[in-house]
Amino acid sequence: MAAGSSQGGAAGGSASRRAQEARRQERLLREQWQAARQRAERWEAASEGERRVAAQLLMLAGRGWRLLVDRRWPGTRAANVDMLLIGPGGVFVIDVKNWRAAPETSGGRLRAGGFSRDEHRRKLLAVTKAAEGAVASLGMSPVAVRPLLVFAGQRVDAELGRIRLLGEHEIGPALLSERTRLSAGSVRALADHLARVFPEYEDPAAAPPAPATAARPPAAAADGLFDLGGLREAALDEARRAPIEQWMTFLDPDQLALVRRNWAGPARISGPAGTGKTVVGLHRAAYLAQRTNGRVLYVTFANNLPRVQSTFLKTMAPAVADRIDFRSLHSWARDYLRGRGVPVHLHKEKAETAFSLAWKHVGRNSCLTEIDPLHPYWQEEINYVIKGRGITSFEEYAVLPRRRRRAGLRRPHRQAVWALYEAYEAQRIERAVHDFNDVLSLALAEAAGRTGHSDYTAVVVDEVQDLTLVGVRLLHALVGDSPNGLLLVGDGQQAVYPGGFRLSDAGIDIRGDRGQVLRANYRNSKDIVDTALSVVAEDAFEDLDGLRTPGRRDVDLTYHDGQVQRAVLPTLAAHDAALLAALGALTPQQLADSAVLCSAKRGIEHYQRLLTRAGLRVCPLEQYDGHPVEAVKLGSYRRAKGLEFKRVYLPQHDADLPQGIPAGGVSTETADERGELARSQLFVAMTRARDVLWLGSVRPPREK
């Protein structure tokens, strides 16, 4: 009984303390509300409804928000903006309505009380566009600016295109639930900037106009101490200090211009590594989702990237995240076929067996071994040149330019390749299985006659250089040449798979300003860029537009603090000990921003064991979803594409690069091709690094 009484007393005391805390919080909220009401009542020009809404928003000031009330719309003489709210969740352009009838939305239109109120929707979107232009000068994406229609005396929570409709009581909780995207410093800078761009409103009917000599100066010159460039640099520095996942969402004004551009047909964004192509693609997808009622498909080749990119976009633009599908190409194609009742029997292992048997019976004793006796080269020829380009007859293949394939094939060799291809297809069909190329070909056949009837209003293709020609044709078929329909993002120098194609082969015509090249590198320092370019300096490449480009390209650098660290050790054990020492010296946050990348699966398995035994947390890139995690990322060069890290560690980075004369009867041409591909993959891995690039090598001492 005594013990029970004691426990009951403890429980009662705990409940009493919770009740006291609840009452204290209630008193605090009442005091904040009364203070906010008093401040709101000072705005005599505002209606009672506006004052009640303003009081709700003023209560957010204690949580880092800034409210600008009754501002002049720049570029007009009499129009005003009810409110601009700037806070951790972004910038909100607010129009307050005190209507007797509840708002109704139908067919993208706004009505109330049986009458059209669509002019209010159009005005709010126009003001929002002005606010987007204002924040763009600070390096913020337009997706950070949200238009809100708030209804005093109503209970509403709905969407009208990109406009969110909220009632008087819904707006506070809705804003507090917004994901944090701006720091306190950014909020202050943006609020001060917007206060200049949108000055306080003065009713021209209430007072005579000021004399010409006393006219208000332009917003950009309102304060001689206002340094726009300095604020951009501060925003950039702040992004660099943040976890790498937040840094990936930074945009500069030139990139913002591409995000907001109106293109009359298919467009392409290219540029060297580190110039922010993927970031532009993400913001473009969000921007299009805000301005259309349809869905946007964001597709890439790698399986791991869609998860990461989806997380980044949810951070940048949570309001439209559910209208953008992030998918790998083959995964999307399989679902596309399944949704249309087309059977798919994808089986990688059985397809591999089919090719092995075809090589054994047809290829191994053919003239192909004069060029390369190893079957992987010829399997790549079938996958990337024949099936990857949709070739269906020997006559086509006999005259086909084999882009990015160095080995010259005479007609007998091409006949032998075709015989191998036919033997493989026979073995595959006998087993009733499909390979990855078959999935894309089936999807293309299904989509080819449905152009203009797609589920998507826009398609963004990231790392387009890694797709096959059939894959690009498939995505083009979804939206055709419609305005703003297809955006291709990628760079030919960063291709990590064999073979190649031109966009013209896919029937895609990129004209005039629809082909844009980014040149400013925001990721890598000069040391890291120079080290990476030295690897591919002699490897000129043909880009997707057919232009031949030198390996060493001109890049405008904006970052200068990164460094290259080299560890050259005589044994693998000493090399691995140096890697563990470098990783062990990092803080948990530094480790979270680091990656160990390997050229092949065997290296990944080796360092997975090594790091785990050393007590270091490891996150495989296949499992990384873009959320910060206090673990070093581990994966292949290919899996790291489209990502970046503050610190990149490349153990045994030069082990797979070709050394000397090729062995085993392999021709110089095919050896050169493999070497070029290996260097391209290493270049991609190196350029993932922002602050530190660690290069490990094992070089036994030479015998005297």
Side-chain angles (χ1 to χ4, degrees):
M1 288 291 294
S5 298
S6 175
Q7 292 172 358
S14 175
S16 176
R17 285 193 296 274
R18 288 198 298 270
Q20 291 175 1
E21 176 61 21
R23 286 193 293 272
R24 189 184 73 81
Q25 290 292 337
E26 183 180 356
R27 286 196 303 272
L28 180 61
L29 286 172
R30 287 183 180 275
E31 291 171 359
Q32 290 176 342
W33 171 250
Q34 290 171 358
R37 282 285 296 176
Q38 290 172 0
R39 292 176 61 191
E41 287 171 359
R42 297 173 190 168
W43 295 311
E44 296 179 357
S47 68
E48 171 60 21
E50 284 180 299
R51 287 197 292 269
R52 289 200 307 269
V53 172
Q56 289 249 14
L57 300 180
L58 283 167
M59 290 183 67
L60 300 175
R63 299 174 181 264
W65 294 74
R66 295 274 297 275
L67 180 65
L68 305 177
V69 178
D70 204 22
R71 316 302 290 192
R72 192 172 77 229
W73 184 353
T76 68
R77 292 181 57 83
N80 75 312
V81 181
D82 283 350
M83 299 177 191
L84 292 169
L85 183 69
I86 307 97
V91 177
F92 297 87
V93 183
I94 301 174
D95 189 7
V96 181
K97 298 302 177 188
N98 198 8
W99 297 347
R100 291 183 179 180
E104 302 171 359
T105 61
S106 177
R109 304 295 182 182
L110 178 64
R111 298 179 63 84
F115 297 96
S116 172
R117 302 295 181 93
D118 220 40
E119 71 275 9
H120 300 283
R121 175 187 66 87
R122 290 191 293 268
K123 177 190 172 185
L124 179 56
L125 290 176
V127 178
T128 302
K129 187 174 182 179
E132 290 174 350
V135 303
S137 60
L138 296 183
M140 177 178 285
S141 170
V143 301
V145 182
R146 297 276 307 283
L148 300 179
L149 270 174
V150 182
F151 297 89
Q154 303 283 351
R155 288 196 172 276
V156 182
D157 190 347
E159 291 187 354
L160 180 61
R162 63 177 303 207
I163 300 175
R164 188 171 182 185
L165 283 62
L166 293 169
E168 175 183 323
H169 300 287
E170 285 79 18
I171 187 169
L175 291 171
L176 285 175
S177 66
E178 286 285 335
R179 185 190 300 268
T180 298
R181 59 183 301 151
L182 298 177
S183 69
S186 294
V187 171
R188 287 193 298 271
L190 276 168
D192 291 343
H193 179 45
L194 290 172
R196 291 170 170 83
V197 177
F198 294 84
E200 290 187 77
Y201 179 72
E202 297 175 1
D203 188 347
T213 55
R216 181 183 295 271
D223 186 346
L225 298 178
F226 185 63
D227 180 7
L228 200 60
L231 281 175
R232 279 200 297 267
E233 286 301 313
L236 180 55
D237 290 341
E238 179 182 312
R240 284 177 173 142
R241 287 192 299 271
I244 199 70
E245 290 82 3
Q246 294 180 29
W247 156 252
M248 286 286 287
T249 65
F250 175 80
L251 282 178
D252 76 2
D254 291 338
Q255 294 167 333
L256 278 169
L258 298 183
V259 169
R260 304 171 71 185
R261 181 163 295 187
N262 184 38
W263 278 305
R268 183 191 175 203
I269 295 174
S270 61
T275 53
K277 297 181 295 296
T278 291
V279 178
V280 171
L282 287 171
H283 283 262
R284 176 68 174 179
Y287 182 79
L288 292 174
Q290 283 185 341
R291 282 154 180 79
T292 63
N293 294 324
R295 302 191 65 78
V296 176
L297 175 63
Y298 194 106
V299 67
T300 189
F301 182 80
N303 288 323
N304 61 311
L305 271 183
R307 292 192 304 272
V308 177
Q309 293 163 334
S310 176
T311 298
F312 290 163
L313 189 126
K314 288 175 182 175
T315 300
M316 296 186 307
V320 298
D322 62 344
R323 296 197 17 243
I324 304 175
D325 295 336
F326 287 89
R327 301 295 302 272
S328 66
L329 177 59
H330 288 96
S331 172
W332 176 86
R334 289 180 70 183
D335 287 348
Y336 177 78
L337 291 169
R338 187 179 298 115
R340 281 153 182 78
V342 179
V344 176
H345 305 289
L346 182 64
H347 199 296
K348 181 180 178 181
E349 290 74 18
K350 288 184 178 180
E352 291 282 352
T353 299
F355 182 83
S356 296
L357 290 172
W359 176 254
K360 176 182 178 181
H361 297 308
V362 176
R364 188 169 59 185
N365 297 317
S366 71
C367 61
L368 297 180
T369 58
E370 301 169 358
I371 296 175
D372 197 316
L374 305 177
H375 79 269
Y377 186 84
W378 305 111
Q379 189 170 17
E380 291 170 353
E381 182 78 7
I382 291 172
N383 284 337
Y384 292 98
V385 180
I386 296 178
K387 299 191 73 169
R389 297 193 61 174
I391 303 301
T392 58
S393 70
F394 175 71
E395 287 71 23
E396 289 181 88
Y397 178 61
V399 296
L400 181 74
R402 299 166 58 253
R403 307 196 190 283
R404 296 184 57 229
R405 300 288 275 178
R406 287 179 174 266
L409 301 185
R410 298 190 302 275
R411 188 175 180 86
H413 295 121
R414 296 205 184 205
Q415 288 173 331
V417 171
W418 195 259
L420 177 62
Y421 160 68
E422 290 182 325
Y424 164 60
E425 286 293 280
Q427 292 283 353
R428 181 186 63 77
I429 292 171
E430 180 181 330
R431 285 159 179 76
V433 297
H434 294 122
D435 60 23
F436 287 107
N437 281 301
D438 296 324
V439 173
L440 300 187
S441 295
L442 288 170
L444 175 58
E446 185 68 20
R450 300 174 59 90
T451 301
H453 301 279
S454 170
D455 295 334
Y456 299 101
T457 58
V459 175
V460 179
V461 186
D462 198 7
E463 304 290 355
V464 63
Q465 73 278 355
D466 289 335
L467 272 58
T468 62
L469 179 62
V470 170
V472 175
R473 283 175 174 159
L474 166 61
L475 296 171
H476 183 215
L478 297 181
V479 289
D481 295 330
S482 61
N484 300 314
L486 181 66
L487 176 62
L488 305 171
V489 180
D491 172 43
Q493 189 172 35
Q494 298 177 67
V496 295
Y497 294 96
F501 59 89
R502 294 178 180 175
L503 292 179
S504 58
D505 298 334
I508 299 175
D509 185 7
I510 305 295
R511 295 187 179 184
D513 68 349
R514 289 193 274 123
Q516 293 288 321
V517 181
L518 296 173
R519 302 191 185 280
N521 184 317
Y522 285 91
R523 180 196 303 155
N524 312 121
S525 70
K526 186 176 188 303
D527 286 348
I528 292 175
V529 168
D530 286 346
T531 300
L533 285 175
S534 69
V535 173
V536 295
E538 304 303 319
D539 296 330
F541 66 97
E542 181 181 298
D543 207 353
L544 301 183
D545 55 9
L547 295 178
R548 194 74 175 166
T549 305
R552 184 175 290 279
R553 304 156 79 184
D554 293 331
V555 182
D556 298 329
L557 300 177
T558 65
Y559 187 54
H560 306 284
D561 295 335
Q563 57 178 301
V564 177
Q565 299 175 355
R566 295 182 182 272
V568 182
L569 285 305
T571 65
L572 178 60
H575 167 280
D576 289 353
L579 174 63
L580 290 177
L583 294 173
L586 301 180
T587 66
Q589 180 55 58
Q590 289 174 329
L591 200 68
D593 290 333
S594 302
V596 175
L597 304 179
C598 305
S599 62
K601 182 179 179 180
R602 64 180 183 277
I604 297 173
E605 294 170 345
H606 171 73
Y607 287 105
Q608 173 82 48
R609 293 190 297 268
L610 183 75
L611 300 181
T612 302
R613 284 199 299 263
L616 294 172
R617 289 190 62 194
V618 175
C619 175
L621 284 184
E622 286 81 357
Q623 300 175 13
Y624 175 54
D625 64 0
H627 289 98
V629 54
E630 290 187 354
V632 61
K633 314 303 184 299
L634 175 65
S636 68
Y637 295 173
R638 291 176 176 178
R639 282 282 185 261
K641 292 207 67 176
L643 303 176
E644 57 186 77
F645 309 92
K646 290 185 178 180
R647 297 163 189 82
V648 169
Y649 299 81
L650 304 182
Q652 306 180 67
H653 78 284
D654 50 1
D656 290 334
L657 295 181
Q659 306 289 337
I661 300 174
V666 177
S667 72
T668 302
E669 291 175 324
T670 57
D672 288 345
E673 185 178 324
R674 287 197 181 95
E676 184 176 332
L677 194 60
R679 289 188 293 273
S680 180
Q681 293 171 355
L682 177 59
F683 171 79
V684 167
M686 287 179 166
T687 53
R688 302 308 95 193
R690 205 191 74 189
D691 295 337
V692 173
L693 173 61
W694 188 93
L695 300 176
S697 301
V698 177
R699 295 179 188 169
R702 295 180 179 177
E703 296 182 5
K704 294 184 179 179

